Amino acid sequence: MTRAAVLTISDVWKSFPGDTGPIEVLRGVSLDLPGGDTLALTGESGSGKSTLLHLAGALDAPNKGQVSVLGHATHGLGDSQRAALRRDHISVVFQQFNLIPSLNVRDNISFQARLAGRGAPEWCATLADKLGLADHLTKFPEQLSGGQQQRVAIGRALAGRPALVLADEPTGNLDEATGDAVLDVMLYLVRETDAALLMVTHSKRVAGRMARRLHLRGGQLV
Amino acid sequence: MQLLTMVIGLALATALWSGVQAINAEARASYDQAARALGETQFTQLIPEEGNTIPTETFVALRRAGVLVSPLLEGRLQLDDENYQLVGFDALTAPMGLVPNEAQQQVDIVSFFAPPYQIIANPEDAGRIRGLTDATVIAVDTVSPGVLLTDLYAAQAMLVRGDEVSRLLLLPNQPRNGTPPDLKQLKLVARSPSQGNDISRLTGSFHLNLTAFGLLSFAVGLFIVHGTIGLAFEQRRGLFRTLRALGMPLRMLLVLLMVELLFVSLVAGGAGMVLGYVIASVLLPDVAATLRGLYGAEIDGTLSIRPIWWAAGMAIAVLGTAVAAAGSIAKIIRMPILAPAQPRAWALLSERRMWLQGILVLALLAVALIASQLQGLVAGFALLGGLLLAAALALPIILSLLLFLAQHLARAPIPSWFWADTRQQLPGLSLALMALLLALATNIGVGTMVGSFRTTFLGWLDQRLASELYVNARSNQEAEVLQSYLAPRADAVLPIWNIEARVAGLPAEIYGIIDHATYRDNWPLLEAADSVWQRVASGDGALVNEQLALRENLHPGDSLELPGAWQTIVAGIYSDYGNPNGQVIVGLDALVKRFPDLQRQRFGIRIAPDKARALARTIRDEFGLPAERIIHQAELKSFSVQIFERTFTVTAALNVLTLAVAGFAILTSLLTLSAMRAAQVAPLWAMGLTRRRLALLELLRSSALALMTLVLSIPVGILLAWVLLTVINVEAFGWRLPMRLYPTDWAWLALWSLIAAMLSAAWPAYLLSRKPPAELLKVFANER
Ligand SMILES: Nc1ncnc2c1ncn2[C@@H]1O[C@H](COP(=O)(O)OP(=O)(O)O)[C@@H](O)[C@H]1O
Ligand SMILES: [Mg+2]
């Protein structure tokens, strides 16, 4: 049974200006990601994984080709429409966690959901519970360990039940045991919310936990 | 970029300091002129024992004996029905300050000495006499009404007085070895400069207050220099660490830094001095003259530099830099070479600092409290300093509490993030905000002080000089003749007879007055018993001035002993600004009964205002009374008002300058923080806020902080003015200036500071709204 694609990337090209002419990072990348699917994106450092993730998250625009989220093509959108798309349907988990330092754990978790107008206190409380953060709700990010911070980031990503979750090496900054625990709860919650997950990683082991795997090399998927 | 902000910050601080100095000097000059115009001379004068003229031989004899004198000829000059007091002076020997600065500027020295000569007059008079005389007429604001200034020879010609002079001014700097001339033999009398003049005392107080504010502005400048240097060092932390890690010895790094700082402070200080000069002279043409005096005399069109003034300015810049840099340098010495940069660690650290600061605030308040219980000027200044520093240090704490409150009142996610984030940014902005607080408090304080001063002074002029004309006759007989002459011509003639005496062991004046509506309606009573005027008139009570009352702790109902074992009761207390001595007012009859040979020379004349000028002229013409013995109250008043208005322009300029500097401090802090800001706003952007929205929020943040600071600065400013007017002034001069508040000024100030805050936030906000997504994405890049 195939479901409608949450994310569609077709023949996307992306280059950055370099010292000696443009650097072609992506050369015609295409992929489909249906709801409920989990996809691992692997590749060498500098192969363009983050770049592709940013394009998928409507954070940046391709030079050529199309990116659509839930059927909305991102290239035709203005700044504010693109921001609205991110706010309502896309969540990103970063390697550096990138929490809001001035807000406590509870407010960090509920932030994007409330921005999107989908703040649900019970669901947030459930999330915090499952993430093992129930005792830390009034703490601030800098008072938490790396693993705890990443769990807050995951909670924030899923609080609004987005259609698309993007994660850029979410366990890259964590030791193996912590990383595995974080990954477990993340996959569990993604399944729970029926989101599509695109995860960038360079760990074979982590990639192995995903339903599908793609490898980026020479600007193309193999 | 950092270098630029540092140079600009330092330059602005120095400009502020030198600008305030210039403005202060200008105010001083204006008031001196006002005082002079109000009939005062600062010079000892030699006047003839008898008659009105001094023969030239006497003048020559004095100069031969090595006495430095400058001749003056005064006389009445009638031009088209109006009488003027023509004063001829010798421009070559006249002492500095005899002629207004502006006049010196406008007069061309060659035509001044040669026919048809030049006449300098008040603009109103100048308009009137233009065309009535061959001489070129030059209008100068600061010349007293009714007075015409011209060259001595011109005056002798116009008055047809041969080669006579009427007075000789004894110059202030006489050669040491000269033998004092035998005045008796020359038939001359020396008259000292008018002493105890109310107005000069009053302005003395004003100078003191302005000086206090000059210091304050300097403190604002120091804050800013400290802020810019601290931030510049903070930004280069990484570079320093790398240099140290690469093996550069600490000592070498420090020497290099100090050389750099010295260089920067010299360049910036010089630029600041020039900037201060330019700003002040562009904003206020009036100041130009004073400035030239400060920065160097203009000779042949070139600006010769007065080294002390410049050295002082540079020293301030260098010292300010040193003080401001000390903390940052200490930090570098203690900085571990390998510790990673941790931009977020400061949040926790600053909480501890907040507590320390709170304790410091309490300590300063305690000092202020102790100082307020002590006597003396030093204690007064300690009170002022303690309060100000406490207010500045308390600002971040109070703001933090307010923001905490706002955050918890906010429901929606963006507002609650906004307040929380603003609160978190406080440590980085607090220095700039403190500078803003001090600048605003200074503004409010200056406004309150100058305004109160003006209102009080003018009101007091109104009250104390209620009569239209004041006459001081040359003798008791002349006064009697004048009074009977005036009785049918004026609405009322009010004798003001007095004796000099000692009251409570100190010199004082005792005046006798009659009961008249003029006093009842106008006299500025601070405290009074029932039916005070009847009691005074009937001899059952006395009025004492505020100075005497404060000194002797007198209140209505207390008994008072006057000379001649005269027991009376205090019926009231009146304000008597500027008088250093005690003064007592009693009923005229009672005073005459006890002191029959008192001076009976002074009296006031009540008459319809539009007839006052004509009557004054009549008295001058009929009795040959010199102009300075008749004071025309209305002219005097309008003249003082004019001078006060000038001070207002000057204070306005000062305010603009301090606000600009505080605004710049905010700008530099925001720019420095903006690198860190990107990391904090990028996640919000990723979560679906547009860059435009984020930039607007940044603008809003600065405005909110500025507005909160403004609201807090109002009580601080009022407190400041209060300390100056009622504590320091009383300590220094023995009388209290009543304080008045000007809320509309605050509204304007609020508007201006809001504009300043928005302007300073506009550039960083614009940069944020234009930041390419790639830049924001760098925040999330894994390799760091
Ligand atoms: N904003 C940018 N400007 C210039 N080059 C960039 C930019 N972002 C990424 N790159 C370059 O694109 C390539 C791919 O980067 P990235 O997608 O971050 O790789 P990965 O995440 O796979 O390690 C790298 O060579 C990087 O230097
Ligand atoms: Mg990457």
Side-chain angles (χ1 to χ4, degrees):
Chain A
M1 181 186 82
T2 50
R3 297 172 51 180
V6 170
L7 171 69
T8 313
I9 293 177
S10 47
D11 194 27
V12 151
W13 291 67
K14 180 74 180 175
S15 66
F16 292 106
D19 293 334
T20 56
I23 307 166
E24 294 286 349
V25 178
L26 301 178
R27 308 154 173 263
V29 173
S30 302
L31 66 83
D32 266 344
L33 188 63
D37 198 4
T38 58
L39 172 64
L41 186 63
T42 55
E44 309 248 301
S45 177
S47 60
K49 305 181 296 288
S50 295
T51 305
L52 184 58
L53 184 107
H54 295 157
L55 294 178
L59 293 163
D60 208 350
N63 299 108
K64 207 180 126 207
Q66 280 210 357
V67 177
S68 320
V69 177
L70 292 174
H72 305 281
T74 59
H75 71 267
L77 301 179
D79 232 21
S80 55
Q81 289 161 306
R82 208 179 291 189
L85 187 67
R86 290 199 297 269
R87 182 190 66 205
D88 295 340
H89 305 298
I90 306 170
S91 291
V92 194
V93 179
F94 298 103
Q95 182 176 354
Q96 317 274 341
F97 327 133
N98 293 97
L99 301 175
I100 299 171
S102 52
L103 295 182
N104 65 21
V105 168
R106 180 193 290 123
D107 293 341
N108 258 294
I109 289 179
S110 62
F111 192 82
Q112 190 177 359
R114 291 168 70 200
L115 266 190
R118 290 199 294 264
E122 301 88 57
W123 169 232
C124 287
T126 313
L127 268 178
D129 234 6
K130 301 216 158 139
L131 289 162
L133 293 169
D135 296 338
H136 307 291
L137 287 178
T138 55
K139 286 190 180 163
F140 285 87
E142 79 230 354
Q143 296 167 296
L144 300 179
S145 71
Q148 287 168 327
Q149 288 194 50
Q150 194 59 301
R151 275 183 268 171
V152 175
I154 290 164
R156 174 176 75 182
L158 295 168
R161 298 177 183 272
L164 177 60
V165 176
L166 304 170
D168 195 347
E169 312 228 15
T171 56
N173 258 8
L174 306 175
D175 61 70
E176 198 167 289
T178 315
D180 284 348
V182 166
L183 197 64
D184 284 344
V185 67
M186 179 169 185
L187 289 173
Y188 167 75
L189 287 170
V190 164
R191 219 170 298 128
E192 194 103 315
T193 56
D194 203 27
L197 172 67
L198 171 63
M199 182 185 291
V200 165
T201 178
H202 56 246
S203 152
K204 286 251 158 58
R205 215 161 42 82
V206 171
R209 315 254 333 244
M210 302 289 140
R212 283 200 292 150
R213 279 159 295 279
L214 287 172
H215 191 75
L216 196 55
R217 186 187 300 140
Q220 289 175 325
L221 288 175
V222 292
Chain B
M1 186 66 202
Q2 304 151 357
L3 189 71
L4 193 72
T5 51
M6 203 156 118
V7 169
I8 294 178
L10 251 174
L12 274 179
T14 317
L16 184 66
W17 181 78
S18 61
V20 169
Q21 290 300 302
I23 283 165
N24 210 344
E26 165 66 15
R28 211 170 281 253
S30 298
Y31 283 98
D32 284 349
Q33 265 161 20
R36 225 173 299 136
L38 296 170
E40 197 197 356
T41 22
Q42 326 128 279
F43 307 103
T44 303
Q45 309 185 10
L46 303 178
I47 54 174
E49 266 179 359
E50 271 170 35
N52 275 332
T53 56
I54 301 172
T56 315
E57 301 90 75
T58 311
F59 169 55
V60 174
L62 275 172
R63 289 227 64 139
R64 258 201 214 124
V67 184
L68 298 181
V69 287
S70 179
L72 277 187
L73 174 65
E74 283 169 315
R76 219 156 7 102
L77 182 69
Q78 191 170 4
L79 290 172
D80 192 28
D81 258 14
E82 284 279 345
N83 269 305
Y84 297 94
Q85 187 192 4
L86 183 71
V87 179
F89 64 95
D90 178 20
L92 295 179
T93 58
M96 282 273 290
L98 176 71
V99 185
N101 264 331
E102 287 87 339
Q104 283 175 5
Q105 310 245 303
Q106 292 180 29
V107 167
D108 151 36
I109 207 80
V110 177
S111 19
F112 191 74
F113 285 126
Y117 298 113
Q118 296 185 326
I119 289 179
I120 306 165
N122 188 287
E124 216 170 291
D125 292 332
R128 236 178 269 136
I129 64 170
R130 225 165 246 146
L132 300 176
T133 159
D134 295 337
T136 320
V137 179
I138 294 169
V140 171
D141 282 347
T142 42
V143 176
S144 318
V147 173
L148 308 180
L149 300 171
T150 190
D151 175 54
L152 180 66
Y153 294 101
Q156 287 172 343
M158 289 181 213
L159 296 171
V160 205
R161 293 274 289 271
D163 53 0
E164 298 165 350
V165 298
S166 39
R167 292 191 268 153
L168 296 171
L169 299 179
L170 204 57
L171 301 195
N173 299 314
Q174 294 290 335
R176 289 264 171 79
N177 47 4
T179 41
D182 183 359
L183 294 179
K184 265 255 154 55
Q185 199 192 333
L186 294 167
K187 295 202 167 61
L188 291 177
V189 190
R191 200 165 73 190
S192 342
S194 346
Q195 282 155 350
N197 183 290
D198 295 351
I199 286 144
S200 69
R201 305 274 168 181
L202 200 57
T203 57
S205 139
F206 193 75
H207 293 332
L208 180 76
N209 284 328
L210 265 187
T211 307
F213 278 116
L215 282 175
L216 214 61
S217 306
F218 176 56
V220 175
L222 261 191
F223 257 92
I224 289 156
V225 175
H226 183 90
T228 30
I229 291 180
L231 292 172
F233 272 48
E234 199 64 35
Q235 285 186 331
R236 293 199 294 182
R237 246 191 138 92
L239 174 70
F240 295 153
R241 192 162 302 161
T242 313
L243 285 176
R244 294 272 285 123
L246 287 177
M248 181 186 270
L250 180 62
R251 189 173 302 161
M252 187 158 149
L253 179 66
L254 290 180
V255 167
L256 281 179
L257 274 176
M258 287 189 193
V259 169
E260 181 193 332
L261 280 176
L262 185 71
F263 179 73
V264 168
S265 63
L266 285 177
V267 170
M273 296 288 290
V274 174
L275 195 69
Y277 178 99
V278 170
I279 290 177
S281 55
V282 165
L283 283 180
L284 305 159
D286 277 346
V287 176
T290 317
L291 281 176
R292 262 188 286 273
L294 284 174
Y295 281 84
E298 203 167 22
I299 304 163
D300 301 331
T302 54
L303 192 74
S304 79
I305 288 159
R306 252 178 64 176
I308 292 188
W309 179 251
W310 283 85
M314 300 307 261
I316 290 292
V318 174
L319 276 180
T321 312
V323 170
S328 305
I329 286 186
K331 248 190 229 160
I332 288 185
I333 294 174
R334 271 178 290 144
M335 178 176 77
I337 302 181
L338 289 173
Q342 262 188 334
R344 251 169 263 140
W346 49 257
L348 273 181
L349 199 87
S350 67
E351 199 154 302
R352 200 166 350 124
R353 206 174 66 189
M354 205 89 102
W355 279 106
L356 273 176
Q357 221 160 294
I359 292 166
L360 207 61
V361 167
L362 291 180
L364 282 167
L365 284 179
V367 167
L369 196 72
I370 294 168
S372 71
Q373 298 305 312
L374 297 176
Q375 302 277 305
L377 208 54
V378 176
F381 277 110
L383 171 63
L384 193 70
L387 281 179
L388 267 183
L389 258 180
L393 290 176
L395 178 74
I397 301 173
I398 296 173
L399 282 181
S400 179
L401 288 175
L402 284 178
L403 292 171
F404 184 74
L405 220 74
Q407 180 192 349
H408 285 265
L409 289 175
R411 289 273 140 254
I414 292 179
S416 70
W417 166 76
F418 176 80
W419 294 120
D421 197 60
T422 306
R423 180 154 169 254
Q424 203 187 23
Q425 266 189 274
L426 266 186
L429 283 173
S430 64
L431 213 59
L433 289 173
M434 285 185 209
L436 182 67
L437 177 84
L438 287 183
L440 290 173
T442 308
N443 268 4
I444 292 170
V446 169
T448 308
M449 194 266 288
V450 176
S452 301
F453 201 85
R454 184 174 97 133
T455 314
T456 305
F457 182 70
L458 294 183
W460 176 75
L461 272 182
D462 253 347
Q463 296 165 336
R464 285 299 294 273
L465 302 180
S467 295
E468 280 68 29
L469 293 175
Y470 286 86
V471 177
N472 187 2
R474 281 166 293 198
S475 65
N476 289 356
Q477 290 94 307
E478 188 178 49
E480 217 165 297
V481 174
L482 270 168
Q483 268 172 274
S484 50
Y485 171 83
L486 286 167
R489 290 173 177 81
D491 296 346
V493 177
L494 307 172
I496 308 166
W497 295 349
N498 74 300
I499 60 163
E500 312 247 322
R502 293 181 87 81
V503 176
L506 287 166
E509 292 159 318
I510 303 177
Y511 281 93
I513 60 168
I514 58 168
D515 190 16
H516 191 268
T518 301
Y519 300 115
R520 263 176 274 137
D521 295 346
N522 295 307
W523 206 260
L525 287 181
L526 298 173
E527 290 178 48
D530 294 337
S531 54
V532 49
W533 292 107
Q534 274 144 27
R535 294 173 65 168
V536 171
S538 63
D540 292 341
L543 298 174
V544 297
N545 68 353
E546 185 189 0
Q547 287 80 327
L548 186 61
L550 280 177
R551 206 170 59 208
E552 300 300 322
N553 193 22
L554 293 174
H555 296 283
D558 293 351
S559 68
L560 176 71
E561 184 173 346
L562 296 177
W566 180 2
Q567 287 292 340
T568 185
I569 288 171
V570 175
I573 297 167
Y574 60 94
S575 53
D576 186 19
Y577 303 116
N579 188 352
N581 294 325
Q583 210 178 66
V584 180
I585 291 177
V586 293
L588 188 69
D589 296 338
L591 188 66
V592 173
K593 208 162 71 199
R594 285 184 170 81
F595 303 92
D597 50 353
L598 78 178
Q599 286 187 21
R600 302 170 186 232
Q601 296 167 353
R602 292 211 218 184
F603 51 92
I605 302 170
R606 298 305 310 261
I607 190 172
D610 53 331
K611 294 187 189 145
R613 197 186 167 99
L615 185 64
R617 196 175 59 209
T618 317
I619 302 172
R620 271 198 296 260
D621 293 356
E622 300 273 321
F623 295 88
L625 203 63
E628 78 251 21
R629 287 184 170 268
I630 308 171
I631 295 175
H632 186 198
Q633 190 261 125
E635 282 179 1
L636 187 149
K637 250 193 74 186
S638 73
F639 187 64
S640 352
V641 171
Q642 205 179 313
I643 291 206
F644 267 107
E645 293 316 325
R646 193 138 49 123
T647 313
F648 264 94
T649 345
V650 167
T651 3
L654 176 94
N655 287 353
V656 169
L657 210 62
T658 38
L659 263 186
V661 172
F664 183 78
I666 298 180
L667 173 69
T668 49
S669 314
L670 288 177
L671 279 178
T672 316
L673 287 175
S674 65
M676 239 192 267
R677 287 306 291 157
Q680 284 161 19
V681 299
L684 283 119
W685 169 75
M687 282 187 272
L689 282 176
T690 57
R691 286 166 292 166
R692 222 166 64 92
R693 182 96 179 262
L694 289 168
L696 281 178
L697 285 172
E698 296 292 300
L699 264 187
L700 199 64
R701 179 194 323 282
S702 304
S703 312
L705 285 175
L707 216 63
M708 286 181 176
T709 307
L710 175 95
V711 169
L712 292 173
S713 75
I714 290 176
V716 177
I718 293 174
L719 201 66
L720 215 91
W722 180 81
V723 170
L724 277 173
L725 294 178
T726 64
V727 178
I728 291 195
N729 211 58
V730 172
E731 290 298 343
F733 302 101
W735 42 269
R736 176 175 309 189
L737 259 173
M739 190 164 81
R740 269 158 240 262
L741 302 179
Y742 303 89
T744 41
D745 288 359
W746 305 341
W748 277 110
L749 195 60
L751 190 70
W752 281 115
S753 55
L754 214 59
I755 291 174
M758 298 260 262
L759 277 180
S760 55
W763 176 241
Y766 174 80
L767 288 183
L768 177 62
S769 76
R770 297 274 133 209
K771 217 179 191 64
E775 292 269 314
L776 286 165
L777 287 172
K778 270 191 194 141
V779 170
F780 308 122
N782 302 343
E783 47 292 308
R784 267 228 238 174

